[in-house]
Structure formats: structure tokens, C-alpha cells
Amino acid sequence: WGNYVDFRLSMKPQPDQDGGCGNFNNDPSDDTTEQIFKRDGARVSDDDLLFRSRVQVRVGDTELQLLNMCPEEKLEEAKEECVQELSSIKGAAQDEVQLKS
């Protein structure tokens, strides 16, 4: 995979520390994906990007095959639900829910 970086960051907990793995307060109930998105947003802000540009996420062949097996009505329902969920999350753009076939 040419579109990710593996790294390990070791540090002492910081005041108000938060991120994709949670907020390190030893309370797993507030470290769900939904809770993290509400606190930090669904995407890294442009000001915090480590790289010059954002990678465009694309649906691969396997996902397309699965999508093609999904009844159209159910797929449209899922897209609408996803857009509604993302629209309630800070930093998420509805155009990120585009499925290309």
C-alpha cells in the first residue's frame, strides 16, 4: 500500500490530549469512533496535515463488486444514512460519501 505511513509515537500524556486512538483518560466508553469524531472531526484539518496534499480515497475493485451485489434501494438508503451521520460530525464533508463505480 503506497498511501499510508506506519509510525509509533511515544510520549507522556499531555493536557487535553486526544486523537484517533482516544483521549487517554482510561475511560474506553468515550473512545468510540463517534465520540472521537465529535471531539476532533472526521478528517485532519488542512492546517495539521503532515503532507502537502490530501490523498483521495477511492473504492477498490472488491468494494465495487460488493456494491454491485447490493440492491439499489438498500445502497441509496445506506448513502443517505452515511451523509446524515457525517453531516453531524465536525470536519466531515458530505462529498466524501461519493461512491464511484
Side-chain angles (χ1 to χ4, degrees):
W1 295 37
N3 63 350
Y4 76 98
V5 174
D6 282 334
F7 69 94
R8 178 180 292 203
L9 178 66
S10 298
M11 61 187 274
K12 293 180 181 177
Q14 303 295 306
D16 300 319
Q17 183 173 340
D18 207 346
C21 295
N23 56 15
F24 305 97
N25 65 355
N26 293 318
D27 179 4
S29 70
D30 66 1
D31 291 337
T32 64
T33 300
E34 183 178 356
Q35 293 294 326
I36 292 169
F37 279 6
K38 284 181 180 177
R39 290 192 304 268
D40 292 335
R43 305 261 322 204
V44 173
S45 72
D46 289 341
D47 292 337
D48 292 331
L49 286 176
L50 296 176
F51 304 100
R52 290 184 186 151
S53 61
R54 195 178 292 278
V55 173
Q56 181 67 32
V57 177
R58 302 208 188 286
V59 176
D61 292 338
T62 302
E63 291 86 0
L64 285 176
Q65 289 174 351
L66 292 170
L67 288 170
N68 287 332
M69 293 168 45
C70 185
E72 187 66 29
E73 184 177 301
K74 190 167 190 76
L75 181 59
E76 288 305 315
E77 262 181 50
K79 285 183 192 179
E80 288 175 24
E81 185 176 323
C82 190
V83 167
Q84 288 173 1
E85 285 290 322
L86 285 177
S87 67
S88 69
I89 297 171
K90 176 177 69 173
Q94 290 186 4
D95 60 359
E96 294 183 54
V97 187
Q98 305 277 329
L99 296 176
K100 305 206 186 305
S101 54

